[in-house]
Amino acid sequence: MTIKTLIVDDEPLARQRIRQLIVHEAGFEVVGEAGNGLEAVTLIETLNPDLVLLDIQMPELDGFGVIEAIGADQMPPTLFVTAYDAHALKAFEVHAMDYLLKPIDRERFRQALSWVREHPQGRGNEDTRLKSLMSELAPPETKLDRIMVKTSDRWVLVKTSMIKWIEAEEDYVRLQVDGASYLVRHTMSWILARLDQEQFKRIHRSTIVNLDFVQELQPWNSGDLLVIMRDGTRLTLSRTYRNVFAEWR
């Protein structure tokens, strides 16, 4: 069985080094290279690799953003290859597939690929491990300034500052931006924890607003208020969340 491998790194020399190492490993075929996270998402979907060698620090969309865009349940088995060792111990604690540090040691690389060769599917427990790893390495205090969303035929990077409000839709949230809306698979709690808490406020269990797009509040009924957005949209501020605006009274 040949293990189709995708190399993802924004440094050409790093990609070249991985190619030089992997050519000596039986059973692996490099089917593509990506120089950034956006390219990686596209190639993962089109090439359907069996293994991704993934850098963490990349412009536009980092390694964790790639995993979020694809979804941990759909992400191929992944080996992190990075120059940053700050979270390596945590990666091993949650039994990540592997976490290789640059400059890559040949023997260490061979060990990692040997494990992949023995576990070619890399599924089952790896989904749980990958989710745990992401939780460890991308904690809630890391605020998002962009969110990757998928449309019918492409991926779009949405700046969080341009999101007017967010609505819950079952297991998804809908991002409302000027002239468009995007459905992404996250919970309200997950996304709120990763947004600027000074700018985004929860006004209802199913609604988060960007204060920059709020025009005024109006009395309504049963202690609730209406939040009038700058585009005229009327949203409900429930009594439970009225303290959100208490500091401005």
Side-chain angles (χ1 to χ4, degrees):
M1 173 184 174
T2 299
I3 298 173
K4 298 185 299 181
T5 304
L6 175 66
I7 301 171
V8 182
D9 199 302
D10 63 325
E11 299 177 2
L13 289 178
R15 298 198 301 272
Q16 180 181 346
R17 170 61 174 166
I18 293 173
R19 273 189 174 274
Q20 291 172 343
L21 290 173
I22 207 169
V23 74
H24 299 290
E25 300 298 325
F28 293 86
E29 176 190 2
V30 176
V31 294
E33 294 184 10
N36 58 62
L38 296 178
E39 289 181 4
V41 170
T42 299
L43 290 179
I44 289 171
E45 290 201 317
T46 57
L47 298 177
N48 192 28
D50 303 311
L51 174 68
V52 179
L53 296 172
L54 182 63
D55 190 15
I56 292 178
Q57 298 286 349
M58 294 182 291
E60 293 293 339
L61 191 68
D62 65 13
F64 302 112
V66 171
I67 296 171
E68 287 295 341
I70 296 296
D73 293 337
Q74 303 299 319
M75 187 70 186
T78 302
L79 294 180
F80 287 103
V81 183
T82 178
Y84 301 88
D85 64 352
H87 304 289
L89 178 59
K90 291 183 179 180
F92 287 114
E93 286 174 351
V94 297
H95 307 292
M97 194 169 205
D98 218 326
Y99 190 104
L100 304 178
L101 291 175
K102 301 174 184 176
I104 303 172
D105 177 75
R106 181 183 296 275
E107 184 56 34
R108 182 72 183 82
F109 186 79
R110 181 171 296 149
Q111 291 173 359
L113 293 196
S114 177
W115 193 96
V116 173
R117 196 181 288 113
E118 294 171 5
H119 305 82
Q121 299 304 312
R123 307 312 297 169
N125 290 338
E126 290 310 316
D127 287 340
T128 301
R129 291 175 182 177
L130 191 50
K131 290 176 180 176
S132 298
L133 178 61
M134 289 171 58
S135 176
E136 291 288 339
L137 301 186
E141 59 263 30
T142 301
K143 303 305 178 186
L144 299 174
D145 59 2
R146 292 179 177 83
I147 297 177
M148 173 72 78
V149 297
K150 186 178 183 181
T151 65
S152 59
D153 60 352
R154 68 187 190 280
W155 290 89
V156 179
L157 271 177
V158 177
K159 288 187 176 181
T160 55
S161 61
M162 301 304 294
I163 298 172
K164 295 181 177 181
W165 74 91
I166 302 169
E167 298 174 299
E169 292 191 15
E170 297 182 350
D171 295 331
Y172 296 79
V173 295
R174 184 172 294 279
L175 313 179
Q176 300 287 350
V177 298
D178 193 22
S181 69
Y182 302 100
L183 200 62
V184 295
R185 192 178 182 87
H186 288 305
T187 64
M188 294 290 278
S189 297
W190 186 96
I191 201 164
L192 182 60
R194 288 160 175 79
L195 293 172
D196 184 344
Q197 301 294 298
E198 297 299 316
Q199 184 174 4
F200 289 87
K201 300 292 184 181
R202 195 165 190 169
I203 62 170
H204 190 276
R205 63 183 179 84
S206 60
T207 312
I208 297 169
V209 297
N210 182 342
L211 297 181
D212 288 345
F213 293 94
V214 173
Q215 179 172 302
E216 62 184 45
L217 305 180
Q218 294 180 2
W220 199 31
N221 56 20
S222 302
D224 293 345
L225 296 174
L226 284 179
V227 177
I228 310 301
M229 305 300 286
R230 295 189 183 280
D231 65 359
T233 300
R234 300 157 74 89
L235 304 171
T236 302
L237 170 59
S238 68
R239 286 179 297 173
T240 306
Y241 297 94
R242 287 189 65 166
N243 63 338
V244 166
F245 295 94
E247 63 189 275
W248 291 307
R249 292 180 183 175

